[in-house]
């Protein structure tokens, strides 16, 4: 059928199928700012304005939009520099999103802006709650919504014209370690019309220097393109002849494929290829995107003659349209021999349990044993645990449970493959690990590494889910089969049944304590469920002990020789595989550890903060696990040099008002909180509501020592600007920006002179990818090292140009785009670049460097939570979260605080509502963003971030990791706050009303 769509005041004649959605039609017309997030419009990424009102383009037909005015993000603003053409620049909303740090991955940003525009067009002076309501239909998995709300309020002020906003006047509340912490809200600005400010407090370490760009809230280098909805993501591409891939998935949890007949599907008009296990090479591999060798068993195939979970692959199809591909799936006849299935991890190792991996190609790693359905076994003994227990006055034992949860990035997994003109296979994919994709898929596709090029465009969130080489093989096989470009984009249901998740675990704790509060021994056993495949099985679960059990070493003599045991079984079950998820096993560990510490402190009558600090690791002590464990490799003992935990506690407890609230029965009986956490007047008190406050202390790691390697190259251009090429993958975290800041600092230029590009396996240096909180630290050091090489070349040339002897070059400093000699003479970088490229002893000034770290300095944090519990229903409202973090020196407080806010929000879901469950046949219960609830803008508690800087000596600018640690403490802090409120221990997350109510009833 032919219809006319009016998009951004332009009429388009469109030929479309009656069933084509408006989203598909709009994107076909290259308005790529409208995104696919899910089929039902629940993510809101597909928001457009229809006659001024937000609608979900993915859940209405294109034909229904005929005769209406459609507005997409492309109608708003443009880059302020358009050559000779005068432009209006960005729309105030876009400007505010850029300046406020409201963009992380940017996948939701066009939709948020359009939803906000509809509000401001209707209501120029909205309240914060109205802004939150207006953008509530657009889910953001990255930001925690604080900065987007601030951006909308700022833009509203600009559009009203009632407040001149100086975009550069972001004031940072810089305290120092010597300052007494106060309970002031760093965000409160008296008299300011904008009532939500998102400046984190930064408590500066005495070693912190004032830099030109490091430490400054620089705008993200990719913000301007993302705010305009430019075609920056994997699927934002149109290649002539593109085919659409779909995968037939298993309806059974465990079955053999006895017969498979694809003939009818192949005959369907528009089908280009159907592949089953009989059509492609049988190559065993692991989908875990990790360094070589993969620290886990090889137990997966692109397609197999056996299926091991509901959702496992059976066949793959490429067709001229997604609809034809879907239809073809229904025409594939499969005869299954259904086998017994293991759905409960406790059943997996029983002697009579069926074997999930009986394939002869299975390759063991370390203690994996397919005969026992064991993907990994871990045992780490530090000190003498039995002696420690014998020396204790009290022994505390308890069991805890943590669920399987989803990364739920708003951009699904998506990949486009094609042969280039040299017959090299190009894999354009939304991945955190482009170099691992290339290396790991080469044998699977029977191509040499050198014939594969992996391009990573912007990533719409990953959170570990895209550390898996999960689905790139599907379009790659289909491109090989058809010679045509193929796009494969996961449906939202596939994300739930065919992607990865956080390992669920059942955990036992046993802790020995002396009467004075000294921990004498600490033991954890984890039964970890890896699902049908062992991707990340060993390393995720190893991390559970390595990071969570390292924090408490004991006091006195025990500090020198702590007694700690961690052991774990990682078992196969017939459920969708678990894998990497931000925090990588550590959130699983801190739920039991920090709930356990709280119980011990209360049972023995200690202040919960004092008890923790008494036993927590201190600067100068060995990381206990570094003496005994290294992900299956030789351990390398490592001293922890910087621990800002005490200062984090001091700052956090002041910010949340701990001393006024903890143990205060009057406060506890105050009524429900308002959004900002303030108590209602006493007249409104409701006796069924009880308030509580809780704390958790946590530590993480920074990269994997002697393994994680990052590379960077820097090239100088004619105008004195630089190309910074990194293999590191910015998945929305802002890593491209902080890498550019550090390189710019060394080269004495503003960040806008660093043209940053990541990543392409043909052009950018190797990088292990974005995981393990390593990019700022590892890839950042590589960028600094490359910048130092370039700086030296610049100084040598500047010395010659300034008439200095060559030996004097090292006294030249680079600042403000100048090379400045000690005598005050200077030459600009532009002059140096022109001299090098065109005039004397011509050379391309450039540098390439890489870095691998011998250490993994841990960041630390104190996480506080304030809750209200309804004792009649068990409902828990989290009113406020405060996190005080020691992540070393903060390179960019804007992007770093965004990481904390977004991480706390994800962790809040882990604490109270997110869970992936299965019925008795192994069918997923949660298959969309309705049943699987992630927090919306209008449901958020107040969030506050405080940075407590330490100077980590192993990094040129003193940084440690920031991205993963906010995942660790929220759940136990909330659990401890519930205990504080109602005296009830809930030992299993998420703490749903039902669980709380049951515990209260049984109290
Ligand atoms: S910035 Fe909102 S989903 Fe990533």
């Amino acid at each position: 059928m032919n219809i006319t769509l009016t998009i951004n005041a332009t009429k388009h004649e469109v030929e479309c199928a009656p069933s084509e959605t408006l989203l598909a039609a709009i994107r076909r017309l290259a308005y790529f700012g409208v995104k696919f997030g899910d089929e039902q419009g629940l993510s809101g990424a597909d928001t457009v304005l229809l006659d001024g009102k937000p609608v979900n383009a993915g859940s209405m037909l294109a034909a229904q939009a005929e005769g209406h005015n459609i507005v997409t993000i492309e109608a708003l603003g443009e880059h302020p520099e358009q050559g000779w053409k005068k432009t209006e620049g960005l729309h105030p909303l876009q400007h505010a999103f850029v300046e406020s740090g409201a963009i992380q991955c940017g996948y939701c940003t066009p939709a948020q802006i359009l939803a906000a525009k509809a509000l401001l067009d209707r209501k120029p002076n909205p309240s914060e709650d109205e802004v939150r309501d207006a953008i509530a239909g657009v889910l953001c998995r990255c930001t925690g919504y604080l900065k987007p709300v601030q951006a909308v309020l700022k833009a509203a002020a600009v559009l009203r014209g009632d407040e001149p906003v100086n975009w550069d006047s972001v004031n940072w509340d810089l305290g120092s370690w010597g300052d007494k912490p106060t309970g002031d809200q760093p965000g409160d600005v008296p008299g300011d019309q904008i009532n939500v400010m998102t400046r984190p407090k930064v408590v500066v370490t005495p070693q912190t220097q004032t830099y030109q760009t490091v430490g400054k809230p620089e705008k993200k280098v990719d913000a301007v393109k993302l705010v305009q909805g430019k075609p920056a993501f994997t699927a934002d591409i149109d290649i002539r002849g593109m085919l659409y891939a779909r995968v037939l998935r298993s309806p059974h949890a465990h079955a053999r494929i006895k017969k498979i007949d694809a003939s009818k599907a192949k005959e369907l008009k528009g089908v280009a290829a159907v592949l089953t296990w009989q059509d492609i090479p049988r190559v065993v591999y692991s989908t875990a995107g990790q360094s070589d060798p993969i620290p886990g068993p090889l137990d997966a195939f692109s397609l197999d003659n056996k299926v091991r979970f509901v959702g496992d692959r059976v066949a793959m199809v490429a067709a001229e349209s997604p609809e034809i591909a879907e239809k073809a799936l229904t025409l594939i006849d499969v005869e299954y021999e259904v086998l017994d299935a293991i759905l409960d991890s406790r059943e997996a190792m029983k002697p009579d349990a069926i074997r999930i991996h009986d394939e002869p190609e299975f390759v063991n790693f370390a203690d994996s044993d397919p005969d026992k359905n064991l993907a990994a076994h871990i045992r780490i003994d530090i000190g003498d645990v039995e002696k420690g227990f014998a020396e204790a006055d009290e022994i505390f034992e308890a069991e805890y449970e943590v669920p399987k949860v989803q990364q739920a990035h708003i951009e699904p997994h998506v990949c486009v493959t094609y042969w280039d003109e040299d017959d090299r296979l190009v894999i354009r994919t939304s991945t955190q690990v482009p170099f691992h994709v290339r290396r790991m898929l080469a044998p699977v596709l029977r191509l040499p590494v050198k014939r594969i090029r992996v391009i990573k465009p912007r990533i719409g969130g990953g959170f570990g889910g895209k550390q898996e080489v999960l689905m790139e093989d599907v379009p790659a096989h289909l491109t090989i089969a058809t010679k045509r470009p193929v796009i494969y984009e996961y449906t939202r249901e596939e994300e739930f049944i065919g992607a990865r998740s956080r390992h669920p675990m059942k955990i036992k704790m046993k802790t020995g304590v002396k009467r004075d509060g000294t921990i004498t021994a600490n033991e954890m056993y984890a039964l970890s469920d890896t699902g049908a495949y062992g991707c990340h099985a060993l390393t995720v679960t190893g991390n559970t002990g390595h990071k969570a059990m390292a924090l408490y070493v004991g006091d006195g003599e025990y500090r020198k020789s702590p007694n700690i045991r961690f052991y774990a079984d990682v078992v196969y079950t017939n459920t969708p595989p678990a894998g990497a998820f931000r925090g990588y096993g550590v959130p699983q560990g801190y739920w039991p550890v920090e709930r356990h510490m709280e119980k011990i402190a209360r049972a023995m009558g200690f202040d919960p903060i004092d008890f923790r600090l008494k036993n927590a690791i201190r600067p100068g002590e060995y990381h206990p696990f570094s003496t005994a464990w290294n992900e299956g490799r030789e351990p390398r003992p490592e001293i922890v040099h910087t621990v800002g935990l005490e200062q984090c506690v001091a700052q956090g407890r002041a910010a949340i008002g701990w001393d006024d609230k903890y143990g205060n029965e009057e406060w506890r009986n105050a009524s429900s909180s308002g959004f900002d956490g303030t108590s209602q007047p006493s007249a409104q008190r409701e006796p069924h509501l009880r308030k509580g406050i809780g704390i958790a202390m946590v530590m993480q790691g920074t990269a994997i020592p002697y393994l994680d390697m990052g590379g960077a190259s820097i090239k100088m251009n004619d105008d004195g600007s630089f190309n910074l090429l990194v293999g590191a993958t910015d998945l929305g975290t802002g890593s491209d920006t902080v890498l550019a800041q550090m390189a710019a600092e060394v080269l004495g230029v503003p960040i806008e002179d660093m043209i940053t590009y990541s990543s392409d396996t043909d052009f950018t240096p190797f990088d292990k990818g974005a995981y393990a909180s390593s990019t700022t630290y590892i890839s950042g050091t590589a960028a600094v090292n490359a910048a130092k090489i370039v700086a030296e070349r610049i100084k040598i040339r500047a010395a010659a140009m300034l008439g200095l002897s060559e030996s004097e070059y090292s006294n030249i400093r680079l600042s403000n785009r100048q090379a400045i000699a000690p005598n005050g003479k200077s030459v600009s970088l532009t002059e140096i670049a022109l001299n090098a490229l065109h005039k004397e002893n011509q050379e391309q000034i450039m540098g390439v460097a890489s870095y691998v770290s011998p250490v993994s300095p841990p960041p630390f944090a104190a996480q506080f939570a304030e809750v209200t519990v309804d004792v009649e229903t068990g409902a828990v409202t989290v009113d406020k979260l405060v996190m005080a973090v020691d992540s070393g020196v903060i390179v960019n407080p804007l992007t770093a605080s965004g990481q904390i806010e977004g991480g706390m929000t994800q962790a809040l879901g882990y604490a109270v509502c997110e869970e992936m469950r299965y019925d008795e046949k192994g069918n997923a219960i949660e298959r969309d963003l309705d049943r699987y609830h992630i927090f919306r803008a209008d449901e958020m508690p107040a969030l506050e971030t405080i940075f407590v800087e330490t100077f980590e000596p192993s990094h040129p600018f003193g940084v440690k990791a920031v991205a993963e640690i906010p995942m660790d403490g929220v759940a136990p802090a909330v659990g401890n706050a519930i205990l504080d409120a109602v005296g009830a221990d809930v030992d299993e997350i998420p703490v749903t009303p039902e669980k709380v109510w049951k515990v209260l009833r049984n109290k």
Side-chain angles (χ1 to χ4, degrees), residues 358-379:
D358 52 1
E359 66 277 6
E361 296 89 346
F362 186 99
V363 178
N364 269 315
F365 184 84
D367 293 328
S368 65
D369 183 350
D371 289 339
K372 296 180 183 163
N373 289 320
L374 203 55
H377 173 72
I378 301 163
R379 173 133 190 162

Side-chain angles (χ1 to χ4, degrees), residues 446-708:
R446 294 271 161 88
L447 278 171
V449 165
K450 64 189 172 207
R451 295 201 66 80
I452 299 174
R453 173 183 174 191
V454 178
I455 299 171
K456 176 225 59 97
R458 301 323 294 165
I459 306 175
F463 315 115
K466 294 173 182 171
Q467 196 199 327
E468 203 76 10
V469 186
L470 181 71
M471 45 77 86
E472 290 86 352
D473 58 316
V474 171
H477 282 303
L478 290 166
T479 287
I480 290 172
T482 62
K483 301 184 181 168
R484 288 176 60 181
V486 177
I487 182 167
Y488 182 34
E489 184 167 38
Y490 260 31
T491 62
R492 185 53 60 180
E493 184 181 50
E494 280 182 301
E495 287 293 334
F496 284 104
I497 65 168
R500 301 297 183 248
S501 52
R502 190 182 296 291
H503 291 70
M505 295 187 195
K506 298 177 189 356
I507 294 175
K508 290 182 188 167
M509 292 290 304
K510 181 176 176 186
T511 306
V513 191
K514 276 195 178 298
R515 223 161 271 123
D516 70 351
T518 300
I519 292 175
T520 60
N522 205 10
E523 179 185 271
M524 175 190 278
Y525 169 71
L527 177 60
S528 176
D529 181 352
T530 189
Y533 298 101
C535 25
H536 299 274
L538 175 85
T539 45
V540 160
T541 309
N543 233 17
T544 304
H546 184 279
K547 306 292 188 298
M549 288 292 281
L551 180 55
Y552 298 112
V553 293
D555 201 11
E557 284 304 300
Y558 294 97
R559 286 195 169 279
K560 294 184 199 138
S561 178
N563 302 313
I564 302 171
R565 175 181 296 145
F566 173 70
Y567 62 115
D569 293 306
V570 191
V571 295
Y572 289 113
T573 61
N574 292 111
T575 56
F581 186 172
R582 189 179 191 178
Y584 206 74
V586 187
Q588 289 100 311
Y590 273 111
W591 170 251
V593 166
E594 281 301 285
R595 290 289 297 114
H596 207 59
M597 291 300 143
E598 186 74 18
K599 288 183 196 173
I600 295 170
R602 285 173 182 256
M604 296 187 76
F606 299 123
D607 177 87
I609 292 180
D610 293 346
F611 171 67
R612 285 176 169 89
L613 287 176
K614 175 180 172 63
N615 289 290
I617 194 167
R618 292 179 188 158
E621 294 173 352
Y622 278 106
H623 187 302
F625 280 73
S626 71
T627 62
W629 160 259
N630 190 11
E631 296 199 344
R633 293 166 294 129
E634 202 48 37
R636 295 181 189 245
E638 186 182 327
I639 288 175
V640 176
H641 291 289
T642 53
V643 182
L645 202 49
E646 280 192 38
Q647 184 65 223
C648 288
V649 169
Q651 294 289 341
R653 79 190 287 167
I656 203 160
W658 177 273
D659 294 344
D660 295 333
K661 294 171 183 170
Y662 183 74
N664 180 343
E665 197 59 21
E666 196 184 340
W667 173 78
R668 222 176 251 147
N669 287 322
S671 80
S672 169
S673 294
F675 175 80
D676 61 357
T678 54
S679 300
Q680 303 290 327
S682 56
Q684 293 175 20
R685 286 183 183 177
E686 297 171 83
H688 61 288
L689 299 178
R690 300 263 298 168
K691 290 177 75 63
I693 190 164
I695 183 175
M697 295 183 199
V698 293
M699 67 186 271
Q700 257 283 354
T702 304
I704 306 169
Y706 295 103
L707 184 70
D708 283 347

Side-chain angles (χ1 to χ4, degrees), residues 22-23 40-48 54-61 137:
L22 179 59
L23 174 67
Q40 298 102 330
L42 296 163
S43 72
D46 56 350
T47 300
V48 297
V55 297
N56 295 112
S59 44
M60 70 183 290
L61 297 174

